Amino acid sequence: MKIYTIASLAWATFASAIPLSPQSANLQTTSAVDDTIFSSVSGLKFNIDGETKYFAGTNSYWIGFLTNNADIDLVMSHLKTSKLKVLRVWGFNDVTQTTSGVWFQSFVAGKTPQINTGRNGLQRLDYVVKSAEAHGVKLIVNFVNNWGDYGGMAAYNSFFGTSTSTWYTNAKVQAQYQAYIKAVVSRYSSSVAIFAWELANEPRCKGCATSVITDWATKTSTYIKSLDPNHMVTLGDEGFMNGGGDGSYPYTTAEGIDFEANLKIPTLDFGVFHLYPTQWGVPAPSWGSTWFSNHGAICAKLGKPCIAEEYGATSNKPAIEGPWQATALATEGIAGDMFWQWGDTLSTGRTHDDGYTVYYGNSDYDKIVKEHGVNILKAEGGAK
């Protein structure tokens, strides 16, 4: 999702960071691969911790930027209590100027790009992974943003003099992008907390041939698999289609995305799609339910599971999102759904309300999380 309203992160400064123990600084040593059960594809569903069934999850782009470990643990404990199995987080935080706050990669003019493995850098993501391991939560971690929030492709473009279209093919950009991927993947390649690696958040290449992103996704996913063959890989796109549906904008390749063509890439283990009717100018909720069904049909046809990875509404959330959840649960090919986004009350107070946020314990939570969870149990025959 493009984050239109971002709560201030001024409170999340390096000065307030809680130092990590040496053991948590690099989670490569937390588990032996031979003894690990990694999440995996199982037919048109996923096997997580030895169980194959439909799962519910959510998104928290901000959790890796927190500097209070207790806040991270609180969120993870609430996710566990809520039986939300998969959490999608930003694995990037790119800056273009010097800062004492949390940052993962810098693109400061006149300097060599730098990957921050310090206490206000990837060690913050280390603690997210460590806490996820402790609470049985699985993570989808992505590597770059299509949008300008937290740097993203725009930070690369500003530094290398590239554009939204040449980002995918420029050798220098891709070399730095792959260097960053290697830095992140190598830290967690043996962690059971990683559900999947994700190439980007909502990649687009407006006006480009769809082959641009398909070729880039093929090369990048192949590279990730060469670093870590044990974890799954997915694209992170919104699921725009090459025709079908009602012919509206999301069913065109105007943004350079062909959902079905990308899902055919052998080194992408599953597909994802998003849904924001207000931003896309389409009706809700009926249009959204059809969008879900159409994606499920493609996933089933190609024999790969898919996840409704982001979806949201800014008002009447249960009335709008409930039918989408029901459709996802009933549709062959869809193996899980993850609403945008999780909200909680941390040591600094309520956090990150972008209008779509569902806060732990509120009335929307009762419907979108708790009631949906009950429906999943019923659909799975009461399995625990």
Side-chain angles (χ1 to χ4, degrees):
M1 180 187 184
K2 184 182 189 303
I3 305 164
Y4 287 92
T5 304
I6 304 176
S8 173
L9 291 173
W11 49 269
T13 62
F14 177 52
S16 64
I18 297 176
L20 294 172
S21 66
Q23 290 78 16
S24 62
N26 189 329
L27 297 187
Q28 183 69 23
T29 60
T30 59
S31 59
V33 172
D34 289 344
D35 299 326
T36 298
I37 299 177
F38 295 107
S39 301
S40 62
V41 167
S42 180
L44 289 175
K45 290 188 177 181
F46 296 100
N47 185 286
I48 304 176
D49 292 335
E51 291 187 296
T52 297
K53 58 184 181 180
Y54 189 98
F55 75 82
T58 187
N59 292 261
S60 170
Y61 74 87
W62 42 266
I63 195 168
F65 312 150
L66 299 178
T67 56
N68 185 339
N69 292 348
D71 285 336
I72 295 172
D73 288 334
L74 178 72
V75 171
M76 292 296 178
S77 68
H78 286 167
L79 292 170
K80 181 177 181 179
T81 299
S82 304
K83 302 187 185 304
L84 294 174
K85 196 63 181 176
V86 181
L87 178 69
R88 180 166 170 261
V89 304
W90 277 192
F92 57 84
N93 189 353
D94 310 307
V95 298
T96 56
Q97 58 186 4
T98 302
T99 177
S100 61
V102 175
W103 61 279
F104 297 165
Q105 185 174 211
S106 69
F107 293 94
V108 178
K111 296 184 178 181
T112 301
Q114 182 181 356
I115 298 171
N116 182 8
T117 59
R119 290 187 300 170
N120 66 331
L122 287 174
Q123 288 183 34
R124 300 314 311 146
L125 192 59
D126 286 350
Y127 195 82
V128 172
V129 175
K130 181 181 180 181
S131 186
E133 285 183 343
H135 291 89
V137 174
K138 309 303 178 183
L139 304 172
I140 295 177
V141 180
N142 54 30
F143 300 116
V144 71
N145 202 359
N146 170 64
W147 311 105
D149 304 301
Y150 300 98
M153 295 179 186
Y156 289 79
N157 290 335
S158 175
F159 186 87
F160 290 106
T162 44
S163 67
T164 54
S165 57
T166 60
W167 187 93
Y168 296 95
T169 56
N170 182 272
K172 291 182 178 179
V173 166
Q174 292 304 303
Q176 184 59 35
Y177 170 62
Q178 288 195 359
Y180 184 71
I181 289 174
K182 185 176 182 179
V184 175
V185 170
S186 64
R187 296 177 82 84
Y188 316 122
S189 61
S190 66
S191 174
V192 296
I194 302 301
F195 182 80
W197 303 115
E198 188 167 87
L199 274 55
N201 174 52
E202 300 186 337
R204 294 183 179 188
C205 191
K206 191 176 182 65
C208 297
T210 59
S211 59
V212 172
I213 285 183
T214 300
D215 290 347
W216 163 78
T218 301
K219 293 174 183 176
T220 305
S221 57
T222 300
Y223 176 68
I224 296 171
K225 289 289 189 180
S226 75
L227 300 174
D228 178 10
N230 296 307
H231 288 105
M232 296 182 289
V233 180
T234 193
L235 180 51
D237 60 306
E238 293 153 284
F240 297 139
M241 290 187 176
N242 188 1
D246 60 359
S248 58
Y249 191 78
Y251 286 99
T252 74
T253 60
E255 298 292 351
I257 293 289
D258 183 335
F259 176 78
E260 183 169 350
N262 292 331
L263 190 58
K264 291 177 180 178
I265 296 172
T267 42
L268 291 180
D269 296 284
F270 62 92
V272 300
F273 59 94
H274 300 178
L275 173 60
Y276 293 101
T278 300
Q279 293 181 15
W280 295 356
V282 296
S286 59
W287 190 96
S289 291
T290 302
W291 180 251
F292 275 41
S293 297
N294 288 343
H295 282 81
I298 292 175
C299 302
K301 181 177 77 171
L302 297 184
K304 289 185 178 181
C306 291
I307 302 171
E309 185 184 57
E310 283 192 32
Y311 58 87
T314 55
S315 61
N316 302 318
K317 293 180 178 68
I320 293 174
E321 297 177 33
W324 301 342
Q325 291 178 323
T327 300
L329 185 54
T331 300
E332 183 185 29
I334 300 181
D337 66 89
M338 306 170 63
F339 66 88
W340 183 280
Q341 68 164 328
W342 180 265
D344 224 316
T345 303
L346 308 181
S347 61
T348 51
R350 258 184 149 200
T351 186
H352 304 94
D353 188 359
D354 63 358
Y356 295 90
T357 307
V358 176
Y359 281 91
Y360 176 70
N362 72 3
S363 58
D364 288 341
Y365 168 91
D366 288 342
K367 292 288 187 179
I368 292 171
V369 179
K370 292 178 68 176
E371 188 173 300
H372 184 40
V374 170
N375 291 335
I376 291 173
L377 283 175
K378 290 178 180 177
E380 295 289 341
K384 300 295 183 184

